[in-house]
């Protein structure tokens, strides 16, 4: 009896597999459907996991303005170092330090900065040190050193320079340093040179690699920005995430504090400092050095539509349960003004207040802002009643801007069910859905958007990731399920206008949340399987959806489809078919391509495939190339049917050209 049951099961499984394998899927090349929005596949950026300070923003000095609540956090001192807050050069960052002679030749006065998880330098690369200094009593001297405290050499210094401080008034001094060795746990030291002066005042101490993204002084880490560019993203959402909200109103992200000269941008608490006490970073603050100007500039650099998210007058509803912590509904004017002024900052003429500031920062042309999200992951009537006045004012004053509301933190359930109809009632253009969900959820959601109304408010899948078992760096199987799920986004491009995986970056020594798309330490970075999935979509986004069905149904991991998920788009003359085989078996995949003209067959096929040595395989900083897409091309002559073999657990992008 037992034996009979087992063989019956095998026969049934084979029959089901056969249903997927035997019948060709029908692809209607002659029936292009919805347009795929150019914003369809994008990126979400938040300063979480030391993604900005200590990450993309290439500043190497932590607490450079001595403005952390503990003014000398990140610094060690020797001799006479005094923190002062009167008559500094920057009104919003009043603190600076006074280095005074100890009065004794054998006693040094010095400062040492620990950087973000170390001051990490590469041999023979150039680094720019700068500081605002003055010598109130006349000339003085400091020595700047990049040092390796663990060195067994006679000297710990890897590079050093002396600066003559000749000005009685505040002035910016800059020197270049070229370290002799690569060191990951180095420090930056500043010595008062004895006995030339009595004291020197020092403020805004900064160290950047000269080799930044686009060579910009005070710019972004080249490898990390390049990785973003290489995704070919259509949209760039910033600056979060929960940091938009803050735990209390003063901690919320205020974009106006992040524009203008970096030296005068006030710091802000980073709420990820203590969100999880199991991953506690008491030194996590936002310098604002990567601010709204830089975000817009980066969006432009990488060819993505900028999508800022603004506070709606609510603090984080997860973290703060005090109803009075939010802004009263009748006191939202400042928040609404922030939205209006932001539009002016991005798009306004140089004769406007905020447009003039943009121009003074180096970008007289508008940034072409088209999208604005109001509120991050909010819920309940408290959100709806605050969003409503924003919508009213923005519609009147800026009908050209698409407004994005939210469906809350959950992919379904009460909050979600309440908010969607409310968002439709308010007629927002898009609703931001978030889903950090397990493997089973992703496998079951292939047709999620097939069921959505086709008209009105569209979907922005603004934060999502498959949280696979173990939550490693980003192992392969969850990434494969993300690829599978995304075929459903693509098939429903008439409903889904944009989608952004989250979070984007994580420092291996400073993360609070995983999985993440790109991991890095101070000297290296690594692209995960999820990165490559996003990249394959970004590079093969297409322009129009092509109908693709199997036995009349979408290919969405449905019963009898043996774990297959597939979608198709056209791009110019090309046809792009994406197929995820989530099953543990290889299987044939055939297409009956309708509507091809005999005279104009498909003649070239490029096959790009992502597979891995196992479900748990993952790239690491030490082995970053274990998993990466591989492309082959071949000549073909296709006017109708075509078939191929799909490896088990694979994601394949077929691009057919004429
Ligand atoms: O991406 C991490 C966090 O997840 C975001 O800050 C928040 O919006 C969501 O809860």
């Amino acid at each position: 009896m037992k034996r009979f049951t087992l063989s019956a099961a095998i026969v049934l499984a084979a029959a089901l597999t056969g249903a997927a394998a035997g019948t060709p899927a029908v692809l209607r090349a002659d029936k292009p459907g919805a347009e795929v929005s150019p914003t369809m596949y994008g990126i979400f950026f938040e300063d979480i996991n030391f993604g900005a300070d200590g990450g993309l923003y290439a500043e190497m000095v932590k607490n450079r303005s001595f403005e952390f609540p503990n003014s000398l956090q990140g610094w060690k001192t020797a001799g006479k170092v005094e923190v002062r807050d009167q008559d500094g050069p920057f009104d919003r960052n009043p603190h600076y330090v006074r280095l005074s002679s100890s009065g004794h030749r054998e006693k040094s006065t010095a400062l040492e900065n620990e950087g973000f998880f170390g001051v990490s330098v590469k041999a023979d690369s150039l680094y720019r040190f700068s500081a605002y200094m003055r010598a109130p009593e006349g000339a003085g001297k400091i020595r700047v050193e990049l040092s390796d405290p663990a060195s067994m050499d006679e000297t710990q210094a890897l590079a050093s320079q002396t600066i003559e401080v000749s000005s009685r008034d505040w002035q910016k001094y800059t020197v270049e340093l070229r370290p002799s060795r690569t060191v990951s746990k180095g420090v930056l030291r500043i010595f008062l040179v004895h006995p030339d002066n009595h004291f020197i005042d020092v403020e805004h101490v900064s160290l950047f690699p000269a080799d930044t993204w686009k060579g910009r002084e005070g710019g972004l880490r080249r490898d990390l920005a390049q990785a973003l560019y290489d995704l070919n993203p259509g949209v760039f959402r910033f600056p979060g995430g929960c940091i938009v909200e803050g735990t209390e109103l003063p901690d919320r992200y205020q974009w106006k504090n992040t524009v203008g000269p970096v030296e005068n941008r006030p710091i802000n608490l980073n709420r990820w400092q203590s969100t999880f006490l199991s991953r506690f970073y008491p030194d996590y603050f936002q310098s604002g050095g990567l601010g709204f100007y830089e975000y817009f500039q980066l969006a432009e650099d990488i060819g993505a539509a900028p999508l800022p998210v603004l506070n709606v007058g609510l603090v984080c509803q997860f973290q703060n349960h005090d109803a009075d912590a939010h802004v009263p509904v009748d006191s939202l004017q400042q928040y609404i003004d922030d939205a209006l002024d932001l539009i002016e900052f991005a798009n306004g003429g140089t004769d406007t207040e905020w447009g003039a500031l943009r121009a003074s920062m180096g970008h007289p042309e508008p940034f072409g802002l088209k999208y604005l999200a109001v509120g991050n992951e909010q819920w309940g009537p408290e959100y709806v009643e605050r969003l409503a006045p924003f919508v009213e004012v923005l519609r009147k004053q800026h009908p050209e801007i698409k407004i994005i509301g939210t469906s809350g933190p959950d992919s379904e359930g009460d909050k979600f069910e309440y908010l969607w109809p409310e968002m439709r009632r308010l007629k927002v253009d898009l609703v931001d859905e978030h889903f950090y969900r397990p493997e089973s959820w992703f496998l079951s959601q292939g047709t999620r958007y097939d069921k959505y109304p086709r008209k009105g408010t569209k979907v922005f899948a603004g934060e999502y990731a498959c949280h696979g078992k173990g939550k490693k760096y980003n192992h392969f199987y969850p990434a494969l399920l993300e690829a599978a799920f995304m075929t459903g986004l693509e098939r429903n491009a008439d409903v889904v206008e944009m989608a952004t995986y989250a979070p984007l970056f994580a420092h291996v020594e400073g993360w609070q949340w995983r999985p993440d798309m790109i991991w890095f330490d101070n000297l290296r970075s690594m692209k995960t399987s999820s990165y490559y999935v996003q990249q394959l979509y970004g590079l093969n986004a297409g322009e129009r959806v092509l109908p693709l069905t199997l036995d009349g149904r979408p290919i969405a991991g449905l019963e009898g489809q043996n774990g297959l998920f597939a979608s198709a788009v056209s791009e110019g003359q090309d046809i792009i078919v994406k197929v995820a085989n989530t099953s543990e078996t290889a299987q044939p995949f055939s297409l009956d391509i309708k509507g091809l003209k005999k005279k104009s067959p498909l003649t070239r096929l490029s096959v790009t495939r992502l597979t891995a040595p196992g479900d748990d395989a993952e790239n690491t900083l030490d082995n970053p190339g274990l998993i990466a897409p591989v492309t082959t091309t071949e000549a073909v002559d296709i006017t109708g049917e075509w078939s191929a073999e799909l490896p088990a657990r694979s994601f394949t992008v077929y691009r057919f050209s004429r």
Side-chain angles (χ1 to χ4, degrees):
M1 184 64 192
K2 250 185 186 172
R3 191 179 292 164
F4 173 78
T5 311
L6 181 64
S7 39
I10 291 168
V11 169
L12 179 65
L16 290 176
T17 308
T23 330
V26 175
L27 172 63
R28 299 302 312 235
D30 54 343
K31 293 237 164 17
E35 267 184 34
V36 180
S37 166
T39 56
M40 185 67 159
Y41 308 110
I43 48 182
F44 158 91
F45 182 90
E46 177 170 23
D47 191 2
I48 183 174
N49 305 320
F50 284 82
D53 291 292
L56 182 61
Y57 185 50
E59 173 63 85
M60 298 164 74
V61 177
K62 184 163 71 188
N63 190 13
R64 62 185 174 187
S65 293
F66 308 99
E67 295 299 333
F68 284 17
N70 168 357
S71 305
L72 288 174
Q73 199 165 6
W75 295 93
K76 284 180 187 153
T77 66
K80 281 178 82 174
V81 177
E82 181 196 352
V83 178
R84 298 165 63 93
D85 62 4
Q86 302 296 315
D87 71 349
F90 308 114
D91 61 321
R92 297 204 289 184
N93 285 328
H95 293 88
Y96 64 92
V97 291
R98 173 161 291 182
L99 308 183
S100 303
S101 165
S102 68
H104 194 292
R105 175 171 291 278
E106 305 306 323
K107 278 189 186 166
S108 288
T109 289
L111 280 173
E112 179 180 287
N113 191 270
E114 66 189 30
F116 296 92
F117 315 105
V119 172
S120 310
V121 293
K122 291 184 187 157
D124 296 325
S125 293
L126 203 61
Y127 295 85
R128 278 200 194 103
F129 168 91
S130 66
Y132 287 79
M133 292 188 280
R134 67 177 177 186
E137 293 201 336
K141 225 189 256 179
I142 60 158
R143 192 172 73 250
V144 181
E145 275 185 17
L146 291 173
S147 301
D148 174 14
S151 171
M152 290 294 284
D153 295 347
E154 284 305 317
T155 174
Q156 296 170 324
L158 306 162
S160 79
Q161 288 278 7
T162 301
I163 302 178
E164 305 271 354
V165 182
S166 51
S167 168
R168 285 178 194 269
D169 297 322
W170 289 105
Q171 195 177 301
K172 185 175 180 181
Y173 292 83
T174 306
V175 285
E176 292 185 335
L177 297 152
R178 200 182 283 279
S180 51
R181 286 190 288 115
T182 296
V183 168
S184 70
K185 295 291 177 193
V187 292
L188 171 73
R189 289 175 176 160
I190 301 170
F191 293 95
L192 184 72
V193 177
H194 185 83
D196 289 325
N197 51 281
H198 297 294
F199 58 88
I200 287 182
D201 292 337
V202 183
E203 162 66 311
H204 196 87
V205 181
S206 178
L207 181 73
F208 273 88
D211 182 26
T212 55
W213 167 249
K214 291 195 175 278
R216 291 199 184 107
E217 228 171 273
L220 308 182
R221 238 178 90 163
R222 182 190 285 280
D223 59 334
L224 299 182
Q226 183 69 45
L228 301 186
Y229 178 85
D230 292 343
L231 285 165
N232 196 28
V235 67
F236 178 48
R237 173 183 167 198
F238 56 87
C242 288
I243 66 164
V244 170
E245 303 156 7
T247 307
E248 298 173 284
L249 282 174
D251 311 337
R252 74 190 190 279
Y253 195 97
Q254 299 185 56
W255 73 266
K256 287 176 178 168
N257 286 345
T258 72
V259 291
V262 287
E263 296 85 351
N264 210 16
R265 299 182 190 173
I267 64 153
N268 193 11
L269 181 80
N270 190 311
R271 62 152 274 162
W272 296 107
Q273 181 184 97
S274 57
T275 298
F276 307 119
L277 293 184
S278 52
R279 305 284 312 173
F280 180 49
Y281 295 92
D283 54 353
Y284 200 179
F285 291 85
Q286 302 170 69
S287 71
L290 174 52
F292 262 45
Y293 178 84
E294 291 77 16
Y295 283 129
F296 278 114
Q297 191 178 44
L298 179 59
E300 185 173 85
D301 288 349
I302 60 180
L307 194 176
V309 187
L310 293 183
N311 188 296
V312 67
L314 290 172
V315 296
C316 176
Q317 291 164 278
F318 282 116
Q319 285 197 323
N320 195 329
H321 302 277
D322 176 1
D324 295 334
H326 310 302
V327 183
V329 179
D330 59 5
S331 306
L332 285 167
Q333 196 54 49
Q334 183 197 338
Y335 292 74
I336 294 172
D337 287 346
D338 278 354
L340 298 174
D341 293 342
L342 178 62
I343 296 168
E344 186 176 294
F345 178 72
N347 295 349
T350 53
D351 53 346
T352 62
E353 179 190 348
W354 292 98
L357 176 62
R358 182 191 71 239
S360 76
M361 294 181 74
H363 203 287
E365 307 78 24
F367 279 120
L369 177 67
K370 294 195 178 98
Y371 295 97
L372 186 63
V374 184
N376 173 46
E377 217 171 50
Q378 329 305 156
W379 62 79
E382 50 272 56
Y383 173 54
V384 177
E385 63 195 8
R386 284 172 179 77
L387 179 62
F390 280 84
V391 174
E392 199 186 324
V393 172
L394 287 169
R395 285 290 182 239
K396 267 194 208 131
Q397 299 196 29
H398 289 285
E400 77 283 7
I401 296 289
K402 286 195 179 182
I403 302 171
I404 302 177
T406 176
S407 58
D410 305 327
S411 50
E412 45 266 304
D414 293 351
K415 296 184 179 91
F416 183 91
E417 300 301 333
Y418 165 74
L419 280 173
W420 253 107
E422 288 297 309
M423 293 301 106
R424 287 210 166 88
R425 183 176 64 78
L426 291 181
K427 292 197 172 63
V428 299
D429 297 286
L430 293 106
V431 167
D432 180 9
E433 294 191 353
H434 292 183
F435 30 88
Y436 297 103
R437 307 289 277 126
E439 292 158 356
S440 53
W441 188 92
F442 274 80
L443 274 168
S444 70
Q445 295 293 307
T447 55
R448 177 182 179 88
Y449 294 112
D450 298 28
K451 301 157 200 150
Y452 273 50
R454 315 320 285 181
K455 290 207 167 13
T457 302
K458 306 258 187 249
V459 171
F460 168 34
E463 288 185 34
Y464 69 94
C466 179
H467 282 204
K469 289 185 197 100
K471 286 192 180 183
K472 300 184 176 188
Y473 277 132
N474 283 80
H475 47 295
F476 175 72
Y477 185 55
L480 176 63
L481 300 192
E482 287 154 8
F485 170 78
M486 289 172 76
T487 59
L489 303 182
E490 182 166 282
R491 187 175 55 255
N492 289 286
D494 55 333
V495 169
V496 183
E497 191 165 321
M498 49 178 85
T500 56
Y501 176 98
L504 185 54
F505 285 122
H507 194 298
V508 288
E509 293 177 66
W511 61 270
Q512 299 84 43
W513 181 293
R514 64 179 177 176
D516 306 284
M517 206 202 290
I518 299 165
W519 287 81
F520 59 91
D521 63 16
N522 287 355
L523 297 174
R524 302 170 297 171
S525 52
M526 175 275 281
K527 296 163 177 168
T528 62
S529 307
S530 294
Y531 174 95
Y532 288 120
V533 166
Q534 295 297 322
Q535 188 183 46
L536 288 177
Y537 274 91
L539 292 174
N540 297 286
E543 291 154 354
R544 301 283 294 271
V545 178
L546 295 179
L548 176 65
T549 50
L550 183 60
D551 291 330
R553 297 185 301 164
I555 308 173
L558 303 177
E559 204 183 335
Q561 293 185 337
N562 199 29
L564 278 192
F565 293 72
S567 56
V569 286
S570 62
E571 189 180 285
Q573 290 292 301
D574 287 3
I575 294 173
I576 302 165
V577 181
K578 303 184 181 81
V579 194
N581 176 12
T582 64
S583 79
E584 286 177 285
T585 52
Q587 53 184 321
F589 178 67
S590 359
L591 281 178
D592 179 3
I593 309 177
K594 307 273 191 207
L596 291 179
K597 297 204 177 78
K598 289 253 161 5
K599 278 190 216 144
S600 149
L602 302 169
T603 59
R604 211 166 150 270
L605 172 61
S606 108
V607 181
T608 304
R609 179 161 290 143
L610 192 65
T611 53
D615 285 357
D616 281 347
E618 63 191 5
N619 289 339
T620 61
L621 285 172
D622 291 331
N623 191 7
L626 179 68
I627 302 168
V630 174
T631 301
T632 54
T633 51
E634 60 189 273
V636 290
D637 183 12
I638 303 168
T639 50
E641 291 212 7
W642 167 85
S643 54
E645 178 86 356
L646 297 172
R649 300 279 214 248
S650 61
F651 176 52
T652 311
V653 179
Y654 297 100
R655 185 182 272 264
F656 301 90
S657 314
R658 278 171 228 259

